[in-house]
Amino acid sequence: MQEIVTKINEFLWGNFLIVLLMGTGVYFTLKLNFIQIRKFKDGIKLVTDSLNLNGTAADKNGMSSFQALATAVAAQVGTGNLAGAATAIVSGGPGAIFWMWMSAFFGMATVYVEAILGQIFKKRVNGQITGGPAYYIESSLKNRYFSKGLAIFFSVACILALGVMGNAVQANSISVAFNNAFGISPIHVGIIVSILAGFVFFGGIRRIASVTEKIVPIMAGLYILACIVIIFINYKGIIPAIISIFYSAFNPEAALGGAMGISVKKAIRYGVARGLFSNEAGMGSTPHAHAIAKVEHCGEQGIVAMITVFIDTFVVLTGTALVIITSGVTNGEGIILTQNAFTNTLGSFGDAFIAICLFFFAFSTIIGWYFFGEANIRYLFKNKMSINIYRLVVMTMIIIGSGLKVGLVWEMADMFNGMMVLPNLIALLALGKYARTSMKEYEDLIIQTI
C-alpha cells in the first residue's frame, strides 16, 4: 500500500503542484504589492493587541480574532514543526528548509487571500456561522454545477486529509514520542488522546476556542525558548547550519558528498511538501477558522492570517531545524530524530521534553483539524447527527493512527493534502479580485482613521 501511495505522491508532488503552489503565492505577492512585507508590522500589532488567554466565549456568531488565530495556529503548529522538519531534512537534506522558507514567504500572500474569501463567503448553517473554501469554491466559476462538484470534492478531501488521516498522523507522532521517552504502549496513548479529544469535540465551538486560546501561546512560547537555549549552547554550529541550508538548497549532492542521493528536486519536493503540511498556506484549511472571526473588516483578519504562517514556519519550524542541524545528530526518523537532537544537548530530559511538547502541539492540531473537518461536514450534510458520527470517527482514527507506521501515515497525509490543494487554488485564482478590492478598502479605511 505504501508503494502505491508513494507513486501517487510522486505525481501529485511533482513539478505540477509545486509550481502551482509557488506560482500562486508569487502571483498574489505581486498583485497585492508584497502585502506580506508592507503589512507585516500591522499584523504583529493586531496579534499582540488581541492576545488574550481568556477572551470572550465563542458562540453561534463566531469567535474573536485572536481565538480564530489561535485555532489556525493550533492546526499549523503540530507534528509538521517537530517530526515534519526532521523528515524534510532526512529526505531532502538541509536545503529542504530553504524551500520551506520560500513556500512560507509566498504562502503568506496566499493565506491572506484565503482568509479574506473565507470572511466574504461565510454562511449561517442551522443558526451557526460557518465558512471555509467549500463556500467560496461553490461561487468561483460560472458553471455552477462544476463549482458545486469542486466544492464537494474539496470537502470530502478535507475531511479525509485532516479529520481522518491528518489526525492519525498527529496521534501517531504522539504515541511514538511517548513510547520512545516513557515506554508507554502506543495504543494506550492513542486511547487517552482520543478520550481527551472527544471531551473537546463534544463541547462545540465554545470549548474548542477556549482550549486553543490557552494552549497555543503557552506551548509555542515554551518550545521556542527551549530551542533558543539549545541553539545558544550549540552556538558554534549556527553559522555552518545556515550555510548548509542555503548551499544544500541548490547543490545538495556536493554539500552531502553525493552519498545520500539527494537532488535539488528532492530538496524542493520535501521542503515544499513539509512546508505545506506545516503552515498549510494554499491548502484551504485555515480559512475555516479565519472565516468565523468577528472583525470589523475582513482585511483585518487577512493580515492576522499572514502572521500565523510566519509564526509556524519562520519561528517554530526554523527553531526545530536549527536544533537538529546544530546538534549534528543524524540518526533517527521523524520525531525520533528531533528527540535525539534535543537529548544530545539536554540529556535524558530532551526525550521527555519533546514528548510533552509534541503532545500539546499535536493535540491542539487535532482540535484544529477536527474543527476544519466539521465545517465541511456542515457543508455536506447540514444536520447534527452527521457531526456526532464524524466526532466518533475522528476519535476512532486517533486510536488506529497511534499504531500505524510513520512512513505510510506521512505519505497518505501528503496524498490527501495534495488533493485539497487543486480545487482551493482554482477558486483563489478565480476570486482573487475580491481580495485585492478588500485590501484597498481596508487601507483606505485605515488612512481615514489616522
Side-chain angles (χ1 to χ4, degrees), residues 37-354:
I37 296 175
R38 292 190 301 108
K39 294 298 179 182
F40 180 76
K41 184 179 178 181
D42 292 345
I44 294 294
K45 187 175 187 302
L46 284 170
V47 171
T48 53
D49 286 351
S50 63
L51 178 62
N52 193 331
L53 300 185
N54 191 25
T56 304
D59 54 30
K60 62 182 181 180
N61 296 314
M63 56 179 70
S64 70
S65 178
F66 179 74
Q67 288 170 336
L69 174 141
T71 303
V73 172
Q76 292 166 307
V77 178
T79 57
N81 299 84
L82 280 73
T87 303
I89 292 171
V90 170
S91 303
I97 302 304
F98 172 84
W99 295 109
M100 278 186 173
W101 291 340
M102 288 298 97
S103 66
F105 174 76
F106 293 112
M108 289 173 74
T110 304
V111 83
Y112 173 86
V113 177
E114 288 182 307
I116 295 291
L117 295 180
Q119 280 278 324
I120 292 174
F121 290 93
K122 61 186 175 183
K123 304 284 185 182
R124 189 176 291 275
V125 177
N126 294 332
Q128 181 170 315
I129 287 292
T130 187
Y135 294 93
Y136 60 70
I137 290 172
E138 187 176 335
S139 303
S140 62
L141 302 175
K142 290 182 180 179
N143 188 319
R144 292 290 179 178
Y145 292 104
F146 186 59
S147 293
K148 181 71 174 179
L150 278 180
I152 292 172
F153 177 82
F154 174 88
S155 287
V156 173
C158 183
I159 292 166
L160 291 174
L162 304 183
V164 179
M165 287 312 306
N167 280 333
V169 167
Q170 304 300 325
N172 181 272
S173 291
I174 293 175
S175 65
V176 169
F178 268 73
N179 181 256
N180 188 54
F182 308 112
I184 303 174
S185 167
I187 295 299
H188 292 162
V189 174
I191 292 172
I192 293 170
V193 172
S194 178
I195 293 171
L196 291 174
F199 172 74
V200 179
F201 297 164
F202 282 93
I205 187 175
R206 182 187 292 265
R207 191 170 295 164
I208 289 170
S210 178
V211 170
T212 57
E213 73 178 348
K214 293 176 177 64
I215 288 180
V216 169
I218 296 172
M219 73 175 188
L222 290 175
Y223 182 75
I224 293 166
L225 180 62
C227 287
I228 291 172
V229 170
I230 292 175
I231 294 167
F232 178 76
I233 292 173
N234 298 326
Y235 70 94
K236 291 182 180 179
I238 295 175
I239 300 302
I242 293 173
I243 291 173
S244 71
I245 289 172
F246 283 93
Y247 188 57
S248 299
F250 302 99
N251 198 0
E253 288 189 2
L256 300 169
M260 297 178 67
I262 295 174
S263 63
V264 172
K265 184 177 180 180
K266 266 194 172 182
I268 296 173
R269 181 258 196 256
Y270 283 98
V272 174
R274 292 274 79 81
L276 172 65
F277 191 82
S278 178
N279 64 54
E280 304 179 23
M283 195 169 78
S285 54
T286 58
H288 297 98
H290 296 301
I292 63 172
K294 293 182 274 190
V295 290
E296 294 183 6
H297 192 280
C298 58
E300 181 179 326
Q301 197 62 26
I303 295 172
V304 168
M306 294 193 305
I307 303 304
T308 66
V309 174
F310 178 83
I311 293 170
D312 172 85
T313 304
F314 288 101
V315 179
V316 181
L317 187 145
T318 299
T320 304
L322 289 177
V323 165
I324 293 171
I325 299 172
T326 59
S327 72
V329 173
T330 58
N331 60 308
E333 178 186 1
I335 192 61
I336 301 299
L337 176 57
T338 305
Q339 283 182 301
N340 290 342
F342 272 76
T343 302
N344 185 65
T345 305
L346 300 178
S348 59
F349 175 72
D351 267 353
F353 178 77
I354 286 298

Side-chain angles (χ1 to χ4, degrees), residues 17-36:
L17 268 187
I18 288 175
V19 169
L20 192 58
L21 275 168
M22 295 290 279
T24 301
V26 171
Y27 172 76
F28 284 124
T29 295
L30 297 175
K31 290 291 285 185
L32 300 172
N33 301 320
F34 287 85
I35 192 163
Q36 63 266 63

